Amino acid sequence: MSAGGLLAPAPTSGPAAGAAGSPQGGAEQPPPRNGLLVAVLVLALLATVMVSVLRGSYRDGPLEPDAPSPQGSLAAVRVLEDLGTEVTPQRRTADAAETLRAGGTVLVTAPNLLGAAQVDLLRTAREEGGGRLVLLQPDFVTATAFAPGVRPAGTTDEPTLLQAGAGCGPAAFGARSLQLRPVAEVSGHDTYYTVPDGAAGCFDHGDGSAVVVADGVVVLGSASLLTNDRIGTLDAPALALNSLADPQGLGWYIPSAGDPMSSLGPTLLDRIPGWAAPLALWLLVVTALVLLAASRRHGPVVVEPLPVSVRAHELTIGRGRLMHRAHARDSAARALRSAASTRLAHRLGIRRETRRDALVDALAPHTELDAAQLHRLLGPTPVADDRELVRLAHDLDRLEKEIS
C-alpha cells in the first residue's frame, strides 16, 4: 500500500456523509415556532373581552338582584321567580311606594340610607295598601319609624349558629337553624333587635332576635342571608324565600343617588380621596411651624433711611391724615406745640433743651399774652375735639407771626 493510500480519507455514504459534510458538523435546527404563544395571547384577549361584556350586562354591588358575584343576590331572585314571585328591581322611592299601595311586598336592601321624606312615603304607602315591608338591618331611627318598639339590641361580627325557639311562630318563616356570618362587602356585622309587645321574634341571641315581625314589617338582622355566598347555608333559603315570596310581586328596592327624593348625592367631601386628609393635616402642621418660626423677632427693629425722597409737605399731610383717621388729637397737638416751641426758641436765640418756663419768660416781653396763657398754649393741655385742635393751630401760628 502506498503512502498516498494511507493519507486518503475513507469513503462515506448515506446520511452520515450528509451530516459530515454540513458546515456545523450536525443536523440543521428548525426555525423557532411562535404558534403556541400567539394562541395563548389570542385566548387571553378573548377571555378579557368576554369578562368585560359579561360584567357590563349587570350591575355588580351589594345585594344587586342580577349580580352573580358573591355579594350579589341573583340566586335568591332566580329561586323566587321559579316559585312564581315576579321580582322587580326598583331604585326610586315612588316605585316602591306604589308596590306597597298595591298590596305587594317590598324589600329595602339599605334602609339606613333613606331620608325622612322617603321613610314617611313608604310608611304611608304600607298603611294605605297593607303591603309587607322587609328591612335589612335597619338602624335605630329607621327601625322605630316603621315598627315602633323595634330597636337594635346588639351586634356581632363573629359566625353564630342560631336555633328557632318554640315560641317563634310565623317569625321563623319555616327555618329551624341559621348560620349567620357577615359578608364584608355587604355588612361587617349582624344585628339583633328587641321584640315589643304584639310582635313576634325568632332566632334569639342575647337580648334580641335576628328576625322580628311587627304589624306587616319584617326586620332581618343579617343582610348577608340574601347574598349568593350565604344563601345556601342551613335554612337560609327557607327564611329568605318565605319572607319575600308574594304572588302579587316583590319590589327589590335598592336606594340610590339617582332617586329624586334621595339625599345620597356625593358631596365635596365625598369626592376628596382618602389620602387627602392626612396630607392636609401634615401641611397644616408644617405651615403652623413655619409661621411660628418666621414670626419670632431675632433682634431690635433697625431704622433705615427711606429708599426714596419724599417732599416735606407730602409727608406732613400724610402724617396728619393718619392722625386724623386714628383720632389722635393729643398726639397732633403735641406735635404742633413741639414744632412751634422749636421755631420760637430758634428765633429768640435760646436753646431748645431749656425748660418751658425759660421759653415762656423769653416770650412774655414780645407778646400780649401773659405767662398763664402761654403755659396753656404751649403746655400739655388736652384737646377735646377737632375744633379745639384747629383753634390751637391758629393760636400757635398767630404767636409765631407776632414774635416774627
Side-chain angles (χ1 to χ4, degrees), residues 127-141:
E127 294 173 354
E128 293 176 354
R132 182 170 53 182
L133 187 63
V134 182
L135 306 175
L136 294 184
Q137 287 189 254
D139 57 7
F140 175 83
V141 176

Side-chain angles (χ1 to χ4, degrees), residues 75-398:
V77 172
R78 290 286 176 83
V79 176
L80 285 170
E81 291 177 344
D82 292 340
L83 295 178
T85 298
E86 182 181 358
V87 180
T88 304
Q90 296 173 341
R91 302 186 185 275
R92 298 193 176 190
T93 312
D95 298 336
E98 189 64 26
T99 301
L100 290 174
R101 288 193 183 95
T105 300
V106 170
L107 168 68
V108 184
T109 60
N112 300 344
L113 301 180
L114 298 178
Q118 295 171 292
V119 171
D120 292 340
L121 179 60
L122 292 177
R123 183 176 60 238
T124 303
R126 192 197 65 78
E127 294 173 354
E128 293 176 354
R132 182 170 53 182
L133 187 63
V134 182
L135 306 175
L136 294 184
Q137 287 189 254
D139 57 7
F140 175 83
V141 176
T142 309
T144 54
F146 286 107
V150 178
R151 61 181 183 274
T155 61
T156 179
D157 55 359
E158 299 292 336
T160 306
L161 179 62
L162 302 178
Q163 301 292 336
C168 283
F173 291 102
R176 304 307 305 169
S177 301
L178 289 182
Q179 177 67 55
L180 301 187
R181 180 179 299 171
V183 176
E185 292 80 6
V186 178
S187 175
H189 62 274
D190 295 322
T191 309
Y192 302 94
Y193 296 86
T194 58
V195 182
D197 296 337
C202 193
F203 302 103
D204 298 338
H205 183 273
D207 296 332
S209 301
V211 180
V212 178
V213 180
D215 191 21
V217 177
V218 180
V219 177
L220 299 182
S222 177
S224 304
L225 291 173
L226 300 182
T227 61
N228 297 324
D229 188 41
R230 306 300 303 160
I231 190 64
T233 58
L234 296 181
D235 292 341
L239 174 65
L241 300 179
N242 291 330
S243 62
L244 298 178
D246 192 334
Q248 299 186 27
L250 170 65
W252 196 286
Y253 176 40
I254 305 114
S256 64
D259 190 345
M261 297 185 62
S262 174
S263 58
L264 300 177
T267 62
L268 181 59
L269 294 179
D270 297 331
R271 300 179 185 275
I272 298 178
W275 51 264
L279 179 61
L281 180 61
W282 180 78
L283 290 176
L284 182 62
V285 172
V286 171
T287 304
L289 293 177
V290 171
L291 293 177
L292 180 62
S295 62
R296 295 183 59 188
R297 295 184 179 274
H298 300 283
V301 178
V302 178
V303 179
E304 297 182 358
L306 292 176
V308 295
S309 299
V310 180
R311 296 180 180 179
H313 74 280
E314 293 180 356
L315 185 60
T316 302
I317 292 175
R319 185 180 179 186
R321 288 177 178 174
L322 289 176
M323 290 184 175
H324 177 70
R325 185 178 302 173
H327 302 287
R329 300 184 185 91
D330 293 336
S331 298
R334 191 163 48 249
L336 291 173
R337 286 165 172 161
S338 177
S341 298
T342 301
R343 291 190 293 269
L344 289 172
H346 177 72
R347 291 172 183 173
L348 295 175
I350 62 176
R351 294 184 303 171
R352 177 65 184 88
E353 292 80 5
T354 57
R355 301 182 61 180
R356 186 182 306 108
D357 295 339
L359 179 59
V360 170
D361 293 341
L363 289 173
H366 305 285
T367 180
E368 297 178 355
L369 301 177
D370 56 15
Q373 292 176 332
L374 289 174
H375 273 289
R376 188 167 53 255
L377 181 60
L378 298 176
T381 306
V383 179
D385 51 21
D386 292 342
R387 181 177 300 177
E388 291 188 8
L389 182 62
V390 173
R391 186 183 302 113
L392 174 63
H394 288 309
D395 292 343
L396 291 173
D397 183 64
R398 186 182 305 110

Side-chain angles (χ1 to χ4, degrees), residues 32-57:
R33 298 181 179 180
N34 298 327
L36 181 60
L37 179 60
V38 173
V40 171
L41 292 177
V42 171
L43 290 177
L45 180 61
L46 291 177
T48 303
V49 173
M50 291 298 296
V51 170
S52 300
V53 172
L54 291 177
R55 290 296 296 270
S57 62

